[in-house]
Every structure is written in structure tokens, then in C-alpha cells.
Amino acid sequence: MRRSETLVQWSLALVALFAIAALALIIIFIFKEGSPIIARLGIVEFIMGTKWSPSRGTFGILPMILGSFWVTLSALVIGVPIGLASAIFLAEMAPSGTSRILKFAIQLLAGIPSVVFGFIGLVILVPLIRQWLGGPGFSVLAAGIVLGIMILPTIVSVCYDVFKAVPQAYREGMIALGATRWQTIRMVVLPAARPGIIAAIILGMGRAVGETMAVIMVAGNATKIPVSLLEPVRTLTSNIALEMGYAVGEHREALFATGIVLFIIIAILNTLARVVARVEKV
Amino acid sequence: MAGSTSVQPFAELLADEYMDEAENMIINVQGGGSSAGARSALSGVAEIGMLSRKLQGDEKALIPTTIAYDAIAVVVHPSNPCQDLGIEEIRDIFAGNATDWSEVQGEARKIHPVAREEGSGTRGAFDEIIMGEVEVSPGAIVQDSNGAVREIVAGDPSAIGYISLGLVDKRVKAIAVQGVFPSIDTVADNTYKLVRPMILATRENPVKEADSFISFCLSEKAQSMLAQEGLIPVAAVQSGKAQPGE
């Protein structure tokens, strides 16, 4: 009995270690491939440089950093209100039958491959923007809308679980005081769920920053810093995916270096999410 | 064999045909780009390197065989009245100096240039022949395949892009460059300038198999297969007045 217990424990530890080893290997690899060029150009030159022209040896990724920032921000502006509203409706207001069907539908949304989102964006959204708002259609706005829809499942399902975790007694207490349902939600449920909502937003943000395929298809991928929502834009992930196929030498190193920057941004986001959640809980 | 992704689909087609004919032959076709193709042929990783541009620098140690030519067509939306642009005009558009169609040809409307990504063979040939030392504007839309460029130009009346001649269809309009429309004839007589060679390169003493595959690529059957795919056969060009791009 004791023996098999130890065996299970060790094998589970080994499997867990495997996941960590994979992460460590990935980190070592991208840093090994990408850091030489950062060292050569200087970190400031690399991340503050406004011009990306690999064939001329100019590697500045500020346009892509800002591109990722603007695209992610617009995705959040679109996705968070809709996601939060859906989660409130599903958790607090909808009859259980309706809620179950809608939850199922939102889970289905999560199962749609990103290339399909990108394709629909390309054939429907991009021409609509071009026709009604002007510009080439490929834009920060197009990418923001597509990503805003793509992060909905994450935001809805995390918020839904958080709302469900708010003790029923809180709500009953509010109703006993004569509060309406909306007052209960606004004054009790939402404040109680705040750390969870912030975590949901940051998870959605991570998804938006990391998404590649759909963004390549609708963002236009120009390497200029966008000055309006209607201008084409290139994100960090698109930069890697677009040019990886052919890149050799310095160009390839610069793409790995782009990966390092992306990795650091995502690490900061995740740490932030944890810190915020912890501070809020206390 | 390994190399240019522009040559790759045609090489795969020919390799399939060749493997059907010759018993016990296995040809492995991989992408990677022209430079990677030349390097792997030099280092011996691949027997044949595929390039969609001429050999440069130390790559000249390889022996190139041109198996076909590909014209790059400059395309616009079918509704665009523009018929013909000079090389300077195209350069101005892609450099971002001309931003409105009224500055070149046609009605007042913003130009949306669509380029290929850095490193692509099509982009390389376009930059070399059209842009010269001038840089492509960072504001240009970038797509990573001929098909994606065609899709954008087919949908946007203000767009201009460049794709392989073989991929031009009714949804886009190929315009004349310096008054010459792209076609097999204009490539053959060297009047159409936007042309790049499709090259198979080997080391000095290639293995027998590589040699016989390259001979197959130059055979009448292989050449007519390439012509069906929209490439310009070598014979058509050599019977013309001069070598393109020289």
C-alpha cells in the first residue's frame, strides 16, 4: 500500500516536472536565439526603434509593440462590456433553461478555430469597414472587433463562475433589505466578484495579445505606427508568423528577439493578474 | 531539394510526375526560401537548391539551371480605370510618395498598396526590379501569400498589388508596366520587365539522380506542365530576342 502510494507520487511529480522542463527549454531556446541581436543593437534601439526593414538591417519593433497594444485595447473595449453583461445575465437573471442553452452556445464559440474568425473578418468585416468608414478596411478596428469576439468565451465563462461563487446569503440579505435585483447585482455581486472579473479581463488580454492567425488576416500588417483606428497595423505575433518562413541570419534572430519581448509582456501581464487578485482579496 | 517557396509548388508537381515515371526515386521537396535553398545546396544538405532569383555572391559556386520564368503582374481592381503605369509611378506608389490615384491615373481616391512580406521571393524580385534603392513604405499593407494579395485587390477598388502572372484571374486586372502587358509573348521578347527566373542549382558534380531530374524538368512534357501552371517555358524565352533580366 505504502509502496504504490510513493510510486504514484513520484510518477506524478515526474509528469509535472515535464511541463516545467518544456517551459524552461522554450525560454532557454528563445533567449539563446534572440538575445545576441538585442545585445548587438542595444535594447533601447530594438524596442524603441520605429523602423522595421530586415533586408536593410534595420530592426525596430516599436510599431509592433504599439500595434499589439492598440489591437488588444480595442479588443478589450469591445469584448469586456459585452462579456460582462452576458455573464451577469446568465448568472443572475436568465431562467436556468435559457442560461444553459446560452452557456452552451458560448462554449461553442470558444471551439471555433481562429482561422475561421479571421476568414469571416476578412470577407465580411473588412469590406464593411472599407465601405462605411473608409481606409483599406484592414485596420486596428477590424482586428479589435474580431479579437473582441474571440475573447468573449473566456470573459463570460470566468465571470459566470465568479458570480456563481458569490454566496447566495449575500443576495438574500440585500433582497431582505428591499433592494431590487439590479441593486443587488450592482452593490453586492459585482463588488464581491471584482478580483475574479479583473482576472477574467487579464486572461482575455493574454488571449488577445497572443492571437496570431486571425489578426494576420484582418490587420493589414503594415509596419507603420497606426495613428487612427482605420489604419493597418502589425502585432508582435503577426510579425513572427509572417516572416518566419523565410527569415535567415540576423532577420531570424530579430524574430526570436520579438518573441522575447512578447514573452516578457505576457509574463508581466500574468504577474499583474496574480498581484491584483491577491491585493483585492485581502 | 529545398528552397524558394515560389518554386516549391511547381517542383512538387514535377517531382510527383517524375517519381511516377522513374521507379525507386524519392524526391523530397522542402521550402525555406531562395537563400536557404542555395545554402543547403552549397552545404550538401540538399542535392538541389530552388531559387526564384539569380545566384548572388558565393552562391555562384553552384551551377544554375533555369527551368522556367515567372512574370510578376501588377494588379488592380477590375473597376479601376488605370491601364498602364511606368516603373517610376509604381515605385512612387509603393514608396508612399503617390498616395492618391489622381496623382498617377484615374479618379481622386486614396491608393492602398499591398506588398508581400520581407524575405518573400516575389517581394525580392519586385524590390529589385521596381524599387531599386527606394524603400517600400511602412504604411503598405503586407500579406504573406499571392492568394491573399489577390483577395484584397479583388475586393478593394483602391488597392494595387503584385502577384505571379499564373495566379491572375478575372477578379483582378493586370495592368501594363511601361506600356507592356504581361504575357508569355512579352516575357519571351524581353519587353515586359517584371520577370524572375525559376532556378534549380546544384554543386559542381551533382549526383546522377539530381542531374536526371533536372533534365526531366527541361523535357517537353515537364515544360508544357509548367506552361499550364502559368509559367513561361524556357524555350519560349530563349527563342525570343534576349534573356530577360539581363
Side-chain angles (χ1 to χ4, degrees):
Chain A
M1 197 58 202
R2 193 38 76 69
R3 198 108 161 263
S4 65
E5 188 99 337
T6 333
L7 192 72
V8 169
Q9 202 177 343
W10 276 106
S11 34
L12 284 179
L14 200 71
V15 174
L17 212 64
F18 184 76
I20 297 168
L23 177 68
L25 279 176
I26 291 172
I27 294 173
I28 292 170
F29 188 71
I30 60 169
F31 273 86
K32 183 180 141 287
E33 298 287 323
S35 50
I37 189 156
I38 296 184
R40 222 173 314 133
L41 294 173
I43 180 86
V44 176
E45 193 82 347
F46 185 64
I47 62 175
M48 298 308 286
T50 55
K51 214 165 111 197
W52 175 263
S53 181
S55 53
R56 284 157 212 269
T58 317
F59 304 97
I61 60 165
L62 189 65
M64 279 72 101
I65 294 176
L66 291 177
S68 279
F69 175 77
W70 288 118
V71 166
T72 305
L73 188 68
S74 16
L76 291 178
V77 167
I78 291 159
V80 170
I82 299 176
L84 202 55
S86 316
I88 292 174
F89 176 72
L90 290 178
E92 304 291 325
M93 296 173 166
S96 71
T98 319
S99 177
R100 212 174 311 126
I101 295 171
L102 287 178
K103 269 208 82 181
F104 178 68
I106 288 170
Q107 275 158 11
L108 272 187
L109 194 64
I112 297 174
S114 59
V115 64
V116 175
F117 278 104
F119 192 62
I120 293 173
L122 177 68
V123 296
I124 295 172
L125 192 60
V126 167
L128 277 179
I129 293 176
R130 181 161 56 219
Q131 224 169 329
W132 295 103
L133 301 173
F138 295 88
S139 53
V140 179
L141 183 65
I145 293 175
V146 168
L147 282 179
I149 296 170
M150 289 179 74
I151 63 174
L152 276 182
T154 314
I155 291 178
V156 173
S157 58
V158 175
C159 288
Y160 178 88
D161 292 341
V162 173
F163 292 152
K164 282 292 176 197
V166 174
Q168 198 57 32
Y170 289 15
R171 299 189 183 87
E172 284 160 2
M174 261 317 259
I175 289 165
L177 288 172
T180 61
R181 184 142 65 165
W182 175 237
Q183 283 170 331
T184 312
I185 293 167
R186 196 161 50 90
M187 296 193 239
V188 172
V189 180
L190 285 181
R194 226 174 91 140
I197 295 172
I198 292 172
I201 293 172
I202 294 178
L203 281 175
M205 205 190 298
R207 171 111 165 88
V209 173
E211 177 52 41
T212 311
M213 195 61 215
V215 178
I216 288 187
M217 293 171 82
V218 301
N221 310 318
T223 55
K224 180 172 164 281
I225 297 171
V227 291
S228 96
L229 279 176
L230 299 176
E231 284 193 3
V233 64
R234 184 183 294 197
T235 63
L236 289 164
T237 49
S238 322
N239 192 41
I240 301 174
L242 268 177
E243 297 184 357
M244 208 57 185
Y246 305 102
V248 287
E250 261 200 333
H251 186 187
R252 182 167 174 276
E253 283 177 20
L255 294 183
F256 271 107
T258 310
I260 295 179
V261 173
L262 189 59
F263 178 81
I264 292 172
I265 289 175
I266 289 178
I268 292 175
L269 279 184
N270 280 347
T271 320
L272 214 63
R274 287 180 166 272
V275 170
V276 167
R278 198 170 305 148
V279 168
E280 291 274 333
K281 249 177 209 151
V282 173
Chain B
M1 52 199 298
S4 164
T5 48
S6 310
V7 185
Q8 192 184 3
F10 307 112
E12 275 167 1
L13 188 81
L14 292 178
D16 279 347
E17 182 67 25
Y18 184 66
M19 284 187 283
D20 282 347
E21 278 180 16
E23 299 281 314
N24 302 328
M25 276 291 293
I26 294 168
I27 301 173
N28 193 347
V29 185
Q30 291 186 351
S34 294
S35 306
R39 196 148 327 117
S40 47
L42 279 169
S43 67
V45 174
E47 290 305 329
I48 304 175
M50 302 180 281
L51 292 94
S52 51
R53 54 166 175 75
K54 278 173 274 179
L55 296 173
Q56 303 166 346
D58 61 348
E59 295 169 4
K60 288 190 174 139
L62 295 170
I63 301 169
T65 311
T66 302
I67 58 163
Y69 292 90
D70 181 25
I72 299 172
V74 177
V75 290
V76 296
H77 191 267
S79 73
N80 193 322
C82 180
Q83 292 288 343
D84 174 19
L85 289 174
I87 285 183
E88 288 78 19
E89 286 172 310
I90 300 174
R91 188 186 302 143
D92 279 347
I93 289 174
F94 278 89
N97 298 333
T99 55
D100 200 288
W101 281 106
S102 59
E103 292 171 46
V104 281
Q105 254 185 49
E107 60 233 55
R109 194 165 43 186
K110 277 251 175 226
I111 302 179
H112 299 150
V114 188
R116 289 291 305 280
E117 79 283 13
E118 286 260 0
S120 126
T122 315
R123 163 88 178 242
F126 180 85
D127 282 3
E128 185 190 321
I129 302 167
I130 299 284
M131 303 305 291
E133 287 305 304
V134 183
E135 273 188 65
V136 172
S137 154
I141 290 175
V142 176
Q143 290 293 312
D144 60 356
S145 71
N146 275 309
V149 173
R150 185 176 62 186
E151 206 58 48
I152 293 180
V153 175
D156 183 357
S158 312
I160 180 168
Y162 51 87
I163 61 177
S164 278
L165 180 59
L167 289 161
V168 174
D169 62 14
K170 272 180 281 183
R171 296 178 301 149
V172 295
K173 186 173 79 174
I175 58 168
V177 176
Q178 306 277 54
V180 184
F181 283 96
S183 74
I184 292 183
D185 295 334
T186 54
V187 171
D189 65 16
N190 197 22
T191 49
Y192 190 73
K193 295 299 176 194
L194 255 173
V195 177
R196 58 180 172 155
M198 301 238 149
I199 290 175
L200 298 185
T202 59
R203 288 179 301 281
E204 205 145 315
N205 293 306
V207 293
K208 198 170 85 244
E209 289 84 356
D211 217 20
S212 67
F213 176 66
I214 291 177
S215 326
F216 168 76
C217 291
L218 295 173
S219 71
E220 215 164 289
K221 180 174 177 192
Q223 289 287 310
S224 72
M225 280 171 73
L226 291 176
Q228 262 174 23
E229 296 295 317
L231 294 185
I232 293 107
V234 185
V237 174
Q238 278 160 357
S239 66
K241 286 173 202 139
Q243 287 275 320
E246 300 271 315

